[in-house]
Amino acid sequence: MIYPKFPKSGDVIGICAPSAGAGSKLDSFDLSLDTLHELGFETYETESVRADGCPSAPADQRGYEFNSLFADPDISMVMSASGGDYTMEMLPYIDQELLRSCPKWFSGYSDPTSIEMLLTTKLDIASIYGANAGAWDWRPLHEFQENSLSVLCGEIPVQHSYDAWAAMGYDEELDEYPMIAPVEWTLLVSPRGSDEFEELSELEVSGRLIGGCTDVIDWIVGTPYEDLKGFAERYKDDGLIWFFDTFDLDPMQLMYAVLRLRQIGLFDHAEAVIFGRVCFSGEATDIDYLVQLERVFAGTGIPVIWGADIGHTKPSMTLINGAMGHLTYSFGDAALEMELI
């Protein structure tokens, strides 16, 4: 696994818009950039970053802008401006040989998952999931945002599960994300050869971290821009810890997306599979999702965690695709350590 150099104070972070531009939220975007500047980083934006639209530009232009940041020796790290849609359109325009010859950290989450799958599963270049360039617009910053900044700086913290999360999202009257819903990580396993699931109180596992937005992974599997099967085979001796951030799949859609991955053989060497909270679940409950996921993992013996602090709901962890993860779970509380080996 290739781990690029982390940026240091005075270095330039390049920002591009492979999906949406930041034009609809420039005030908060600039507030987030202020955070990076206060840490001593400089930022450089490609032409489409401040576009007010999704996608931010035609696919070939987005690809050109992305490549330009990897080709520029003055750029130490690359970040996605935002999530959105249509990142997959630009994948044919990414210069993979350029990325091989000039590996840099790429950080993004949601739709830019497809770029991370290309980087990490095809090119063996680690990537950062959990933070776009607009991620640090809260005042004061929350602990999960400070953790993500530490990851960007190469000071990898042990990240812990939280006590509460913002189930209702952003409250305009309060001008904040109220953290009032209890966080509930649930650990289930169905022993090999059994159809029954039992809830476990403790778990300690290690494995290569791999994952991202479930919706996007479902789209990209089978294209020339991922090699999840090859990744799983190359790192099978390390074991794998899969993590999934589901945006708006309903229970049946999530079941089919994950079942497909199992049938491909991607969980054959899984030490655990972790699901974050679903961002837009409609009328579906946690039980509705778990009932469907039990159809996927029955009899596998694979520990399955539901309701983790991963993904679109806040707070959330920042994870390094390709890093060795060391996960401990005890009676609903969890800790994740990442090691770059």
Side-chain angles (χ1 to χ4, degrees), residues 13-289:
I13 295 176
I15 303 171
C16 58
S19 194
S24 64
K25 48 186 178 182
L26 287 180
D27 288 344
S28 65
F29 184 71
D30 284 335
L31 197 59
S32 180
L33 297 191
D34 287 345
T35 303
L36 294 176
H37 298 156
E38 289 166 4
L39 286 175
F41 297 120
E42 297 182 27
T43 54
Y44 171 83
E45 302 172 17
T46 61
E47 181 180 347
S48 302
V49 164
R50 293 180 179 261
D52 183 9
C54 186
S56 62
D60 58 345
Q61 181 178 338
R62 284 177 279 144
Y64 170 79
E65 293 181 14
F66 179 85
N67 291 334
S68 71
L69 296 178
F70 279 84
D72 188 339
D74 292 330
I75 301 295
S76 294
M77 177 183 185
V78 180
M79 296 194 71
S80 172
S82 180
D85 297 293
Y86 306 107
T87 299
M88 282 187 64
E89 288 183 340
M90 65 164 276
L91 298 182
Y93 300 100
I94 290 179
D95 186 341
Q96 296 184 36
E97 289 308 311
L98 171 65
L99 271 55
R100 287 183 194 274
S101 62
C102 304
K104 298 178 183 181
W105 284 109
F106 173 78
S107 177
Y109 92 103
S110 195
D111 198 50
T113 292
S114 57
I115 295 176
E116 299 187 18
M117 293 301 97
L118 187 156
L119 278 165
T120 304
T121 72
K122 283 208 73 174
L123 306 180
D124 275 323
I125 301 171
S127 57
I128 299 172
Y129 187 84
N132 294 317
W136 302 286
D137 57 340
W138 295 17
R139 295 295 184 272
L141 294 178
H142 189 278
E143 179 186 349
F144 83 91
Q145 295 169 309
E146 294 176 343
N147 283 339
S148 68
L149 290 170
S150 294
V151 171
L152 297 188
C153 295
E155 299 168 359
I156 315 295
V158 177
Q159 297 176 80
H160 297 269
S161 56
Y162 292 89
D163 294 328
W165 67 287
M168 302 306 293
Y170 177 71
D171 187 311
E172 292 189 0
E173 291 186 5
L174 297 176
D175 190 27
E176 65 180 30
Y177 288 80
M179 306 284 187
I180 55 177
V183 169
E184 297 178 358
W185 289 45
T186 302
L187 171 61
L188 301 171
V189 68
S190 173
R192 292 187 180 277
S194 171
D195 290 333
E196 299 297 321
F197 278 79
E198 57 187 75
E199 187 168 349
L200 300 183
S201 57
E202 294 186 304
L203 178 70
E204 185 171 348
V205 294
S206 296
R208 292 277 168 189
L209 290 165
I210 188 67
C213 184
T214 322
D215 319 43
V216 177
I217 292 173
D218 186 42
W219 301 335
I220 198 174
V221 169
T223 70
Y225 308 107
E226 59 84 19
D227 187 20
L228 284 161
K229 183 70 173 176
F231 179 90
E233 181 64 24
R234 292 194 299 277
Y235 296 103
K236 64 182 180 181
D237 291 341
D238 296 329
L240 302 176
I241 297 178
W242 288 85
F243 64 90
F244 292 102
D245 163 21
T246 303
F247 183 63
D248 66 357
L249 300 180
D250 65 31
M252 186 71 73
Q253 291 171 327
L254 178 60
M255 183 274 288
Y256 273 116
V258 180
L259 178 61
R260 184 165 162 230
L261 301 183
R262 181 191 166 186
Q263 291 177 337
I264 293 171
L266 299 184
F267 300 143
D268 289 353
H269 304 288
E271 298 295 331
V273 180
I274 309 173
F275 293 90
R277 298 175 289 265
V278 179
C279 186
F280 294 106
S281 58
E283 299 298 317
T285 66
D286 288 343
I287 295 298
D288 294 330
Y289 283 98

